[in-house]
Amino acid sequence: MSARLNDSCLLIGFPDYREAAQRLARAAGIPYADALIHHFPDGETRLQLPESLPEYVVLCRTLDHPNSRLVELVLAAATARDLGVKHITLVAPYLCYMRQDKAFHPGEAVSQRIVGTLLSQWIDALITVDSHLHRVHQLKDAVPVDPAINLSATTVMSAFLGEQLDNPFLVGPDEESEQWVAAIARDSDFDYCVARKQRFGDQQVRVSLPKADYRNRHIVLVDDVASTGHTLEAAMLALAYFQPASISVLVTHALFVGDAQERLHRAGVSNIWSTDAIPHSSNALHLDHLLADALDGCRKSSM
Ligand code: R5P
């Protein structure tokens, strides 16, 4: 990265994602500053940016706990514009509201399109990781900015798994996970298969496994996101019947709400691994270099 690019750019992070944002700034060779956040007793936020900003700013904020963080992101982007910033790249390793990509019932908000449009009003470019794109295939169709880059953690995951387990057998818990499971398996020549999931509600999930020889294998369940953990738990319970040597879990986005992790431990999970797209005790894989490479390309094309 040339000195000119470094000097004319600043990466701004938020307290709840500071460590990963600072790692990214170091990997990308960009100076770092905090957005100062104060939460008032009534739930509102006061946000303050450095008063002197370069024309090119990277906002690094992952978007779990989306409702309050989206508002704070808009406060930050609007303030940056007021301070003269010409170009804002958002690095949001976890991009919220991507699963509601249609109205499943009459009158339902199509949150993906609504939140995507909101973001596009404030940012110029977007970098995210393993965004949940199902019926809408291109990130730019969900968040209309250019570029809208949807990276995948699969290369980082396959290198990681190769160091952890001897000849693992990857299982995707539902059809949508096939893209990630297949990519990791292809990279490292691992066996894989994909199960079928039926969801009856937030907490009710049934997973049916395809016929395969799971016995005595080191199984790794791979998914983009673990939210309530019911998808992974149902897959684990189905797999346990076949007496594998171990069952581990590897996800990009570790939401793990409520007692999700405890339930997986009760079901006998050997390892729970995740990337640092969302800060969590299971984080074992860093995405800084993956994100820094994308950011580098993105900045060179827009400066
Ligand atoms: C949905 O298709 C996703 O890929 C995940 O499988 C899902 O979001 C996991 O949700 P939960 O952990 O609540 O079962």
Side-chain angles (χ1 to χ4, degrees):
M1 178 63 51
S2 76
R4 193 189 72 80
L5 282 181
N6 281 343
D7 295 346
S8 52
C9 180
L10 181 69
L11 188 144
I12 297 178
F14 295 73
D16 48 67
Y17 199 59
R18 183 182 287 123
E19 244 182 76
Q22 287 180 334
R23 253 195 310 273
L24 170 59
R26 276 195 301 275
I30 305 172
Y32 174 89
D34 263 335
L36 301 181
I37 300 275
H38 173 74
H39 292 125
F40 291 108
D42 60 8
E44 291 185 0
T45 297
R46 181 183 65 217
L47 179 138
Q48 192 181 3
L49 299 182
E51 68 181 308
S52 167
L53 292 175
E55 289 194 353
Y56 190 111
V57 156
V58 179
L59 294 177
C60 180
R61 157 144 269 201
T62 207
L63 289 170
D64 55 315
H65 299 92
N67 295 352
S68 54
R69 290 187 184 171
L70 278 170
V71 171
E72 290 176 5
L73 183 64
V74 169
L75 293 176
T79 307
R81 296 284 189 215
D82 287 347
L83 292 167
V85 170
K86 296 277 186 294
H87 191 284
I88 299 176
T89 298
L90 170 64
V91 177
Y94 175 65
L95 188 58
C96 56
Y97 281 111
M98 288 295 112
R99 281 169 287 182
Q100 182 85 24
D101 59 3
K102 71 169 199 174
F104 295 93
H105 303 100
E108 246 174 30
V110 183
S111 318
Q112 184 193 76
R113 195 185 59 227
I114 297 165
V115 171
T117 305
L118 170 75
L119 287 175
S120 73
Q121 285 160 5
W122 293 105
I123 62 170
D124 302 288
L126 170 66
I127 299 173
T128 188
V129 184
D130 291 336
S131 182
H132 194 94
L133 297 172
H134 182 39
R135 280 156 285 260
V136 172
H137 300 290
Q138 306 270 359
L139 184 61
K140 68 175 168 43
D141 295 331
V143 186
V145 295
D146 183 21
I149 301 172
N150 183 27
L151 300 168
S152 180
T154 54
T155 46
V156 181
M157 286 177 164
S158 51
F160 174 81
L161 279 182
E163 289 165 7
Q164 303 299 320
L165 294 171
D166 187 25
N167 192 26
F169 184 178
L170 311 187
V171 178
D174 57 24
E175 289 91 338
E176 292 166 25
S177 64
E178 175 148 20
Q179 52 189 303
W180 299 292
V181 186
I184 300 171
R186 202 174 40 239
D187 271 359
S188 299
D189 213 14
F190 296 149
D191 295 331
Y192 83 96
C193 70
V194 175
R196 206 170 71 82
K197 175 166 84 178
Q198 290 166 283
R199 189 179 272 287
F200 305 101
D202 289 345
Q203 316 276 340
Q204 282 98 36
V205 173
R206 184 182 303 147
V207 170
S208 321
L209 295 168
K211 276 207 170 63
D213 195 0
Y214 302 105
R215 199 178 158 79
N216 292 328
R217 296 295 306 268
H218 290 290
I219 308 287
V220 183
L221 282 163
V222 179
D223 210 353
D224 58 336
V225 46
S227 179
T228 64
H230 281 288
T231 299
L232 295 169
E233 187 186 8
M236 280 194 66
L237 297 176
L239 281 160
Y241 173 81
F242 297 97
Q243 300 183 311
S246 66
I247 308 178
S248 301
V249 159
L250 175 58
V251 295
T252 306
H253 304 297
L255 289 170
F256 288 114
V257 298
D259 62 350
Q261 257 188 305
E262 287 74 28
R263 279 187 286 101
L264 294 180
H265 283 296
R266 277 203 296 275
V269 74
S270 295
N271 303 287
I272 302 179
W273 294 307
S274 63
T275 77
D276 60 1
I278 295 174
H280 188 262
S281 57
S282 61
N283 289 173
L285 297 82
H286 289 167
L287 298 176
D288 50 345
H289 290 286
L290 180 76
L291 293 166
D293 286 349
L295 194 51
D296 199 13
C298 196
R299 288 167 60 209
K300 278 178 180 149
S301 64
S302 56
M303 290 181 93

